[in-house]
Amino acid sequence: MNLRLWYPQLDVYDTIRRMLGLLIAWPDQDLTLERLYISDFYLANPPLLHKTHMPLDIRKEFQALSIVKPEKGFLSFPSPQMLFAKMEPVQKEALRTLVGKGFVALDALRAGKVVADGKLAQVGDMVVMSSDERRVVGFLTSAFAGIGAGVPGDLRLATGLRRPGT
């Protein structure tokens, strides 16, 4: 009998589901590709949010979610930077699929912005997420999204996540 481990972080279909959930919930402020990738990373790995730098008011909102610290949980995680780099090809493939299916506007993406296309409203209720995921999405799209808004690279500095060449 062969066993196969499934890692949602490295599954294109789960990444598409997570990104759709983020796009549906994202406020009208500008969403960049970097913010989408980082938010998706933390939606797939919420315990790793404990390792980020947040202002005190945002940290309090995060603590209200009662997410178990990585060292106290059942799962063990590699370093966030390594996992983020490993997720890159999967996230890029998921984004290509979202563009191809008409959920993300290609013209805006070429300009460096991620803008949901009109088709997204049609699938809003079909994106299946657990209640815990919905709480994390709410935190990521409201409080966490405000970290370094308008300043390129500030969210990356707060999280310590970077990919080769960035």
Side-chain angles (χ1 to χ4, degrees):
M1 180 166 135
N2 291 337
L3 294 176
R4 298 188 83 189
L5 295 175
W6 177 69
Y7 299 101
Q9 301 93 333
L10 305 177
D11 181 61
V12 174
Y13 296 107
D14 195 61
T15 305
I16 291 169
R17 180 188 66 83
R18 290 190 316 265
M19 284 184 172
L20 281 172
L22 287 165
L23 286 169
I24 290 167
W26 204 270
D28 291 335
Q29 68 189 27
D30 291 334
L31 173 61
T32 62
L33 204 50
E34 179 178 80
R35 285 189 179 278
L36 177 63
Y37 285 160
I38 290 173
S39 297
D40 173 62
F41 173 79
Y42 286 115
L43 179 55
N45 310 290
L48 296 179
L49 279 163
H50 285 284
K51 297 185 176 198
T52 63
H53 300 287
M54 299 178 205
L56 187 57
D57 55 331
I58 295 175
R59 176 70 64 185
K60 285 180 182 177
E61 283 186 53
F62 170 64
Q63 289 172 340
L65 296 175
S66 301
I67 294 174
V68 177
K69 290 187 176 188
E71 55 273 359
K72 293 185 179 183
F74 174 74
L75 297 175
S76 61
F77 291 93
S79 77
Q81 295 81 5
M82 186 173 74
L83 185 56
F84 188 62
K86 189 150 181 103
M87 286 176 66
E88 180 179 21
V90 176
Q91 288 177 323
K92 285 184 175 182
E93 181 64 29
L95 187 65
R96 275 193 295 272
T97 301
L98 290 173
V99 169
K101 297 291 183 185
F103 293 114
V104 174
L106 182 59
D107 295 336
L109 193 61
R110 287 182 179 144
K113 303 289 181 199
V114 180
V115 177
D117 219 339
K119 250 184 164 181
L120 192 60
Q122 299 171 357
V123 297
D125 296 334
M126 292 187 253
V127 177
V128 178
M129 298 193 114
S130 70
S131 60
D132 288 340
E133 283 180 315
R134 288 189 189 281
R135 289 183 22 228
V136 173
V137 165
F139 170 74
L140 290 171
T141 58
S142 61
F144 192 72
I147 296 175
V151 181
D154 252 16
L155 184 60
R156 191 174 353 142
L157 290 174
T159 60
L161 298 177
R162 57 179 6 124
R163 290 189 169 141
T166 59

